[in-house]
Amino acid sequence: MKATILNAPRDIRVEDVPDPTIVKPTDAVVRVTAACVCGSDLWPYRGINDVTEPTRIGHEFVGIVEEVGAEVRGLRQGDFVVAPFMYSDNTCPHCRVGIQSRCSSGGFWGSTDRDGAMVDGGQGEYVRVPLADGTLVSTREVPDDSLVPSLLSLSDVMGTGWHAAVASGVQEGDTVVVVGDGAVGLSGVLAAARMGAERIIAMSRHEARQRIAREFGATDIVEVRGDDAVNAVKELTDGVGADAVLECVGTNESMSTAIAAARPGATVGYVGVPHGIEYPVRDLFVRNVGIAGGIAPARQYLPQLRDDVLSGAINPGLVFDLEVPLAEVAEGYAAMDERRAVKSLVRP
């Protein structure tokens, strides 16, 4: 089959790799019908995260179940499924409290499992899915193609934006600040709106992203950064600050802005992969500002968000503004790297 390989920084190729097969009785093989490029894929793509050898890449995909192992009970051939960005058994102690991102038996796409068997990356034609019953969420019937982008977003970005809103404690009537205008930040805007926030302040300097933010429920846009952004939030909130802040970038600047924009007693929900962050512990202590979040347990939120997409309550697929065939996946990476696209959808 064809699959995407990151060989070195900015060296993305589509290469022939072995077709996946059932290795364990709890496996499934899924034919990928849509995948995408994630903002977190750009860290190794840009060389910020080390790339030491050719690596399968891609952790967001939807598709059709082609084959199931003998012990798979909840899935059948022909099911349309959404795969969260990590696989999990959904039964271990961590999964049972809703933190499937720390599953005792789980792992990441594009690497080997705990027994050394290859787990394919999502940006390819097929994927071997370990722990299929605990990982995949089915719609049973194949959905209309117009719903595929929104269902695909549930693999990661919508669930991650939702986790930021959950971690920050968004409540009905709140004023919420969202730091970051990538697909996760925009999904955070949508999540806050769905949870009943009255005012949502999105930080964005890009007109196309501002349009999506407003469509998702943003009431205000802040186009500046750093201290100027914090001052703008204070001005919009009569000097109080935000009831909840969603940090969706992962840099020290974005986290500093998020913390400073929070009102006393508020919580910053962070889901941006941390790079060089230093916490102002004394300031957090003095103002009683909390920090919560981490790797989103996308599997936990998938059933609810799937139903919201199928009912038409949310349309998170609007974050996809570029679609490329698998053969041109390198362009999908370049467009996101150069900020010509918010998020690239890939069709095998």
Side-chain angles (χ1 to χ4, degrees), residues 263-278:
R263 68 177 298 165
T267 297
V268 175
Y270 74 101
V271 292
V273 180
H275 286 75
I277 291 175
E278 298 179 3

Side-chain angles (χ1 to χ4, degrees), residues 117-159:
M118 186 65 209
V119 179
D120 305 280
Q123 294 166 17
E125 294 179 315
Y126 293 88
V127 174
R128 178 179 79 88
V129 178
L131 306 171
D133 272 332
T135 298
L136 299 173
V137 174
S138 173
T139 65
R140 293 299 187 197
E141 302 297 327
V142 177
D144 187 85
D145 194 61
S146 64
L147 294 175
V148 167
S150 285
L151 291 167
L152 176 60
S153 76
L154 308 186
S155 279
D156 187 344
V157 291
M158 186 60 212

Side-chain angles (χ1 to χ4, degrees), residues 330-341:
E331 166 58 16
Y333 274 83
M336 288 178 63
D337 179 45
E338 298 162 10
R339 297 185 75 83
R340 292 184 283 110

